[in-house]
Amino acid sequence: MTPTTAGPGEPGDPATAADSGAPGDTGTPVDTGTPADTGAASWAATTGTAASRTATAPTVTANTPAPPVRSRPGPFDRLGRLAHSKRLGPLRLVEGQEAVLAALLVALWLVLGLSTDTFFAASNLQNILFTVAPVAIAGIGMTAVIVTAGIDVSVGGTLAVVGVVVARLVRDAGVGLIPAIAVAVVTGAALGLVNGLLVAYGRLHPIIVTFGTLNVFRFVALEIFDSKQISGVPGTLGLLGGGESGLSLGVPHAAVLALVLAAGAWTYMRYVPTGRHLYAVGGDAVAARLAGVRVERRQISVYVLVGLLVGLAACVRIGSGGLVGQDIGTGFELEVIAAVVIGGTSILGGRGSVVGTLLGALLVSTVTSAVTLLNWQNELTQLFIGVFIVAAVGADLLRERRRRSL
């Protein structure tokens, strides 16, 4: 067999290759020109010693496939893994913590039903549902905010501003139901827009921004109150109130409104792309932005949403008419955040659902009712709610730690 067909001085020429000292030398140095020289490879293949040398120094030819190159994952890879990770959870109605809450509620109701005579009375159940409604309505928006790794502690101030504005319009200007609700929604959304712009473009932590606006909104509300309570508010918003006009078949309209809004929000956050973007923003905002998600727009939208829903909640709170005090909305932010956190929404963002928020709000209202019916000290209500919050946050942190260790 002819060792090579290359000419003198050309790559693969055995005579020329004799002095190269290149890798793949078979005892007779080969001038390969390049490591991938096919002429040198042919010569090495015809020699008897080539096999032993190539075993320790493999010859690279032009036909040798290049080794795989490991590259750093890009933003789309990270977003894809996030979208398919257990963090988002499967598309099902009830998650693990929500199932636990539902079971806890059933057990609590059974115990209260057996230990008291009035828990399952129609009036008590109506009172629980009416009390839950404003917290659940605002909690829907708060769920979206916390899913994006934000928080809004100014909802109490927002409710105070909306409440006093609408109460004055209804009493002094005789505004009707629909215009009053429209004013409430627009006012709440405008205050939410302030928070959203400061968080999205001010690059400030949401709790700092909303804590500041909480105090500003309360100052504005007190200025509108003019140091006086608003009495004699007519029942224009009675359709959403707790009176007879606010009931249909014994069920408060406000509770039905909360369920309808929750169903819409659940569907949007589960199945609509922009709703799924909220989870992506909360899970990894940098990856979401590089993948094309408009992070700032999503952040602004959720703060506007929670402001809008707080406007509706204010209509429920003042729906019965009568007296609107200057303390309206005090502690409302804690009730809403407690319902969302107890419902299983991660305080770190990226996970949660409005179903859990409804269950959390119902649990808080049930505990409040139980303390009253059992004639226990009212302070125990705060104790139980605090224990639930600590347990929910602890479970969330343990889940997050386990997820990162996988």
Side-chain angles (χ1 to χ4, degrees), residues 62-346:
N63 296 325
T64 302
V69 179
R70 294 183 179 274
S71 59
R72 300 183 60 184
F76 289 95
D77 300 325
R78 295 163 61 186
L79 190 62
R81 287 200 300 271
L82 178 65
H84 293 86
S85 67
K86 293 182 180 179
R87 185 184 184 85
L88 294 183
L91 299 181
R92 56 192 181 191
L93 180 63
V94 177
E95 304 290 343
Q97 187 161 330
E98 295 161 1
V100 173
L101 276 178
L104 181 60
L105 275 171
V106 171
L108 192 57
W109 287 350
L110 288 177
V111 171
L112 291 172
L114 294 174
S115 58
T116 64
D117 297 329
T118 56
F119 180 75
F120 283 120
S123 59
N124 186 58
L125 294 179
Q126 289 171 0
N127 182 59
I128 290 177
L129 291 178
F130 179 72
T131 305
V132 164
V135 177
I137 291 172
I140 294 169
M142 187 66 77
T143 302
V145 170
I146 295 181
V147 161
T148 62
I151 196 168
D152 187 351
V153 300
S154 70
V155 292
T158 302
L159 190 139
V161 172
V162 174
V164 65
V165 168
V166 174
R168 280 194 173 279
L169 286 176
V170 169
R171 188 194 66 174
D172 300 339
V175 173
L177 173 65
I178 301 301
I181 293 177
V183 169
V185 168
V186 171
T187 304
L191 298 180
L193 178 62
V194 173
N195 286 329
L197 290 173
L198 290 174
V199 170
Y201 295 108
R203 307 295 183 186
L204 300 174
H205 196 285
I207 197 170
I208 301 299
V209 171
T210 56
F211 183 71
T213 55
L214 167 67
N215 290 278
V216 173
F217 294 163
R218 285 208 171 277
F219 172 78
V220 173
L222 291 175
E223 287 296 309
I224 300 174
F225 270 111
D226 196 20
S227 303
K228 300 175 184 175
Q229 295 181 337
I230 301 178
S231 59
V233 177
T236 306
L237 297 170
L239 191 66
L240 298 175
E244 289 295 329
S245 59
L247 299 175
S248 288
L249 302 176
V251 179
H253 297 157
V256 176
L257 176 63
L259 284 177
V260 171
L261 292 172
W266 183 85
T267 304
Y268 172 74
M269 294 177 70
R270 287 283 183 173
Y271 298 111
V272 179
T274 52
R276 301 293 294 172
H277 289 172
L278 303 181
Y279 292 93
V281 171
D284 192 331
V286 175
R289 180 180 289 106
L290 294 177
V293 176
R294 297 178 175 179
V295 175
E296 287 79 11
R297 181 174 295 186
R298 299 289 169 266
Q299 289 175 327
I300 293 173
S301 67
V302 294
Y303 285 96
V304 171
L305 175 65
V306 72
L308 184 152
L309 293 176
V310 170
L312 283 178
C315 292
V316 175
R317 280 287 175 93
I318 67 174
S320 301
L323 181 68
V324 177
Q326 298 182 45
D327 60 345
I328 182 175
T330 302
F332 184 66
E333 60 276 1
L334 299 180
E335 297 179 46
V336 175
I337 294 173
V340 175
V341 173
I342 292 175
T345 297
S346 174

